Amino acid sequence: MKLRFGSALAIWLVACGAPADETHPLPVEESHPQPKPALTCTGIKSGPSPIRRLNRTEYNNTIRDLLGDTTRPADAFVREEEQGGFNNNADALGVTSILAEQYMRASEAIAERATEHLDTLIPCSVAGTNEAACVRGFIQTFGERAYRSPPDDAEVTRLYGVFVAGRAEDFRTGIELMMQTILQSSRFLYRVEFGAGAAPVVPLTSFEMASRLSYLFWNSMPDDALMAAARSDELRTKDQILAQATRLLADPKTHEAVTNFHGQWLGLDGLDGITKSATVYPAWNESVRAAMRTETTMFLDDVMWNGPADLVTLLSAPYTFVNAPLATFYGMTAVSGEAFQRVDLDPKQRLGLLTQGSLLSINAHSNQTSPVTRGKFVRQRFFCQDPPPPPPNVMAVAPDLDPHLTTRQRFAAHATQASCAVCHKLMDPIGLGFENYDGVGEFRSLENGGSVDASGSLIETDVDGPFDGVPALVDRLKVSQEVRDCVVTQWFRFSYGRSETDDDACSLRSLQDQFDASGSNIKGLLLALSQSDAFLYRPLVVPSGDTP
């Protein structure tokens, strides 16, 4: 049974924070996965294809690959709003007046840097050459790379006119103004697609497909090989597209895009902004914080690029990466030096992602753990079940610390008060299973002099039932069909820059089935994402006033 959150789930923490003297575990029942509902998939359904603005990561990468400029100018832009869990959702990527001004200033600085060595940027710009032909040729080649498709003759003429206006001052100024115009153009800032054909759903052109492929795998513009394939119109068949996808997957630039996905899916940027009580957690410091982020990044990279690249290993690998300070923090021995090294874990205490200090610290309060946040994290990120936010008149605060009570006892009111239990029964019993880890991820068996009870339970999932501790929770997650399907859905949202719709049902089911058949292999999923109807096609664009 899929979880459905309704409007009744409105009473959250502040009304439910009174401590209690005893716990009242919720009843649980063992359940078994049910067959998915049948789908009738006939014809091609692509889902929507909104115009996509480059987000900050894509802008930085595109400027880097276009001009070799590694200054990351978009880091100074206003932050994107997240939608569907990611910051590249097309529906949330508008342009405010502030951002428009930032684009203008960035284009000025980028063009100034690019023209510092004109003879390198435009080799034909030397005395004695036909200046007009030289500049027009540069506009054609640079414009094609910046726009990810060739500018037409009219656009080349307009851009040459901009150059001429700046040339009144000097040659460099003319080139700078022309480049600024390109870098502020909608064809640079947006991934513009119209498709080819007249059917209700049409395939993309080869140039449009080149961009879809490069931004899927690299979060950046197409390289020379993709552009050459596009010019030859050799990105039209599934085999042609798969061949390029396979090449792109093997390129190290894909590592950065996968890291970007993991960081957003898991909320790793949250580690940068958290604070911890020095009184409660004296071992926590900036060095530990930085080491935790490195640990998780290295672990994910190792599984993806040196290991089997599968979901089960992400969840249950019996190793991690630590340096001496982080090893000491975790209570590990025989690790020395600042360099990170792979170490084996005691699987009864730690394994895979969910017991790493980064995620445990992010999903906790400054002075205590948070069963609610940890439970919500699992339900939201791994089951794709989104509880509603607390109502405006409720402040989400944890029960006060009490030196005589454990966390389980302090949160027991969530289970005993009916108005609280309706929502908290979906999160707290999961989060309480993490109680062997304090608010900064240190393992513990005692709390306030009492033994830690790390028993938990899952309900409203396909793997319902009790578990004791995170390793036992992982045993359930790694056999859950809903978890596997959710991971595919998360990749769908990130890769396509939008949320799924009813028209995506067949594409999504096909991706989920392929993920299952591959043993939950994420590299295989990336290739499959380049072969779905949602990726290969788009709805026909009908200009305003025309009829199809």
Side-chain angles (χ1 to χ4, degrees):
M1 175 180 176
K2 275 281 188 182
L3 180 65
R4 297 292 182 264
F5 292 99
S7 59
L9 308 184
I11 306 300
W12 276 57
L13 291 175
V14 75
C16 311
D21 293 331
E22 57 182 345
T23 60
H24 295 268
L26 294 167
V28 294
E29 296 180 357
E30 294 288 345
S31 63
H32 302 282
Q34 298 297 314
K36 297 180 186 180
L39 278 179
T40 301
C41 297
T42 58
I44 297 171
K45 291 186 177 180
S46 68
S49 186
I51 188 169
R52 297 168 174 84
R53 174 174 68 78
L54 302 184
N55 67 7
R56 296 194 306 167
T57 296
E58 293 165 339
Y59 187 102
N60 281 336
N61 290 348
T62 301
I63 291 296
R64 176 199 66 200
D65 294 339
L66 178 65
L67 290 164
D69 188 323
T70 59
T71 60
R72 300 185 60 85
D75 287 355
F77 296 172
V78 292
R79 294 181 65 87
E80 294 92 5
E81 293 185 14
E82 290 188 6
Q83 187 165 314
F86 299 99
N87 66 11
N88 64 346
N89 190 296
D91 291 339
L93 292 176
V95 177
T96 64
S97 57
I98 293 175
L99 182 58
E101 181 176 353
Q102 290 173 330
Y103 281 147
M104 180 186 70
R105 295 188 182 281
S107 72
E108 292 170 350
I110 293 166
E112 182 178 9
R113 288 191 294 271
T115 58
E116 287 178 354
H117 303 285
L118 278 172
D119 55 340
T120 301
L121 180 68
I122 311 176
C124 65
S125 61
V126 294
T129 62
N130 185 325
E131 183 177 282
C134 170
V135 173
R136 283 181 175 273
F138 175 73
I139 291 171
Q140 185 70 46
T141 56
F142 180 75
E144 181 181 85
R145 295 181 67 235
Y147 292 159
R148 284 86 68 183
S149 63
D152 59 28
D153 291 342
E155 190 151 22
V156 171
T157 298
R158 285 195 297 271
L159 289 168
Y160 183 73
V162 173
F163 162 76
V164 170
R167 182 68 174 88
E169 182 171 336
D170 57 42
F171 184 86
R172 179 179 177 181
T173 300
I175 295 297
E176 282 190 32
L177 288 178
M178 180 268 295
M179 293 182 70
Q180 291 172 29
T181 303
I182 288 177
L183 296 177
Q184 294 179 73
S185 165
S186 60
R187 290 186 61 186
F188 173 75
L189 295 172
Y190 289 85
R191 292 161 53 193
V192 180
E193 299 170 350
F194 295 101
V201 177
V202 297
L204 273 69
T205 69
S206 283
F207 280 105
E208 293 165 351
M209 182 53 65
S211 284
R212 278 206 178 182
L213 282 167
S214 66
Y215 284 98
L216 167 64
F217 286 94
W218 292 343
N219 296 167
S220 188
M221 61 178 283
D223 65 356
D224 290 344
L226 268 178
M227 292 299 286
R231 287 189 214 100
S232 301
D233 200 22
E234 293 177 349
L235 292 174
R236 301 299 295 272
T237 71
K238 293 183 77 168
D239 286 346
Q240 290 172 335
I241 293 165
L242 180 60
Q244 289 290 345
T246 303
R247 179 181 71 84
L248 269 58
L249 177 63
D251 191 285
K253 284 196 290 189
T254 301
H255 298 200
E256 182 182 343
V258 172
T259 297
N260 185 16
F261 166 79
H262 285 145
Q264 294 193 59
W265 171 45
L266 300 170
L268 293 176
D269 282 348
L271 192 63
D272 298 334
I274 60 174
T275 58
K276 298 294 179 180
S277 168
T279 302
V280 179
Y281 305 119
W284 171 269
N285 56 45
E286 291 302 311
S287 176
V288 167
R289 182 211 302 269
M292 285 180 174
R293 183 66 181 264
T294 301
E295 173 195 15
T296 300
T297 300
M298 289 186 68
F299 171 78
L300 290 166
D301 284 352
D302 185 76
V303 173
M304 278 297 303
W305 309 111
N306 301 321
D310 67 318
L311 176 61
V312 170
T313 304
L314 289 179
L315 289 170
S316 61
Y319 68 89
T320 191
F321 292 84
V322 296
N323 62 0
L326 187 58
T328 300
F329 182 84
Y330 284 154
M332 300 175 180
T333 59
V335 177
S336 59
E338 293 295 323
F340 280 77
Q341 56 189 278
R342 174 171 164 162
V343 297
D344 293 330
L345 300 169
D346 177 355
K348 294 180 181 179
Q349 292 190 6
R350 296 186 189 272
L351 77 173
L353 271 173
L354 294 182
T355 59
Q356 292 186 3
S358 58
L359 297 183
L360 293 166
S361 299
I362 292 167
N363 295 292
H365 296 298
S366 63
N367 61 351
Q368 59 180 294
T369 64
S370 176
V372 179
T373 305
R374 288 174 174 178
K376 180 183 177 183
F377 172 81
V378 172
R379 197 169 281 280
Q380 187 174 57
R381 308 295 174 129
F382 289 91
F383 286 99
C384 290
Q385 299 172 354
D386 292 320
N393 61 335
V394 172
M395 293 181 61
V397 295
D400 291 337
L401 291 173
D402 187 321
H404 306 292
L405 297 175
T406 65
T407 300
R408 182 179 292 271
Q409 290 168 331
R410 291 186 297 108
F411 277 79
H414 291 178
T416 58
Q417 297 179 12
S419 60
C420 302
V422 69
C423 188
H424 282 279
K425 69 180 182 180
L426 303 168
M427 296 177 289
D428 293 23
I430 303 174
L432 288 168
F434 285 79
E435 277 302 294
N436 277 132
Y437 310 93
D438 68 14
V440 291
E442 292 180 289
F443 188 85
R444 65 183 182 180
S445 56
L446 297 173
E447 182 188 13
N448 290 336
S451 296
V452 168
D453 179 358
S455 61
S457 65
L458 284 162
I459 63 171
E460 302 288 356
T461 74
D462 64 338
V463 285
D464 288 356
F467 62 88
D468 191 355
V470 176
L473 170 63
V474 167
D475 285 341
R476 289 184 178 272
L477 298 182
K478 68 185 184 182
V479 299
S480 167
Q481 183 68 57
E482 289 185 359
V483 169
R484 292 194 298 274
D485 288 352
C486 177
V487 170
V488 174
T489 299
Q490 302 283 19
W491 268 108
F492 180 103
R493 294 169 180 171
F494 175 78
S495 299
Y496 297 167
R498 63 178 179 85
S499 299
E500 66 278 10
T501 68
D502 290 344
D503 282 342
D504 296 308
C506 289
S507 286
L508 197 52
R509 175 67 63 84
S510 176
L511 290 167
Q512 290 166 345
D513 289 347
Q514 292 177 73
F515 192 57
D516 280 350
S518 72
S520 69
N521 185 275
I522 297 167
K523 288 182 182 177
L525 174 60
L526 284 167
L527 294 177
L529 283 162
S530 74
Q531 300 289 288
S532 74
D533 285 353
F535 187 81
L536 298 171
Y537 298 89
R538 62 156 296 127
L540 177 66
V541 176
V542 180
S544 177
D546 292 351
T547 56

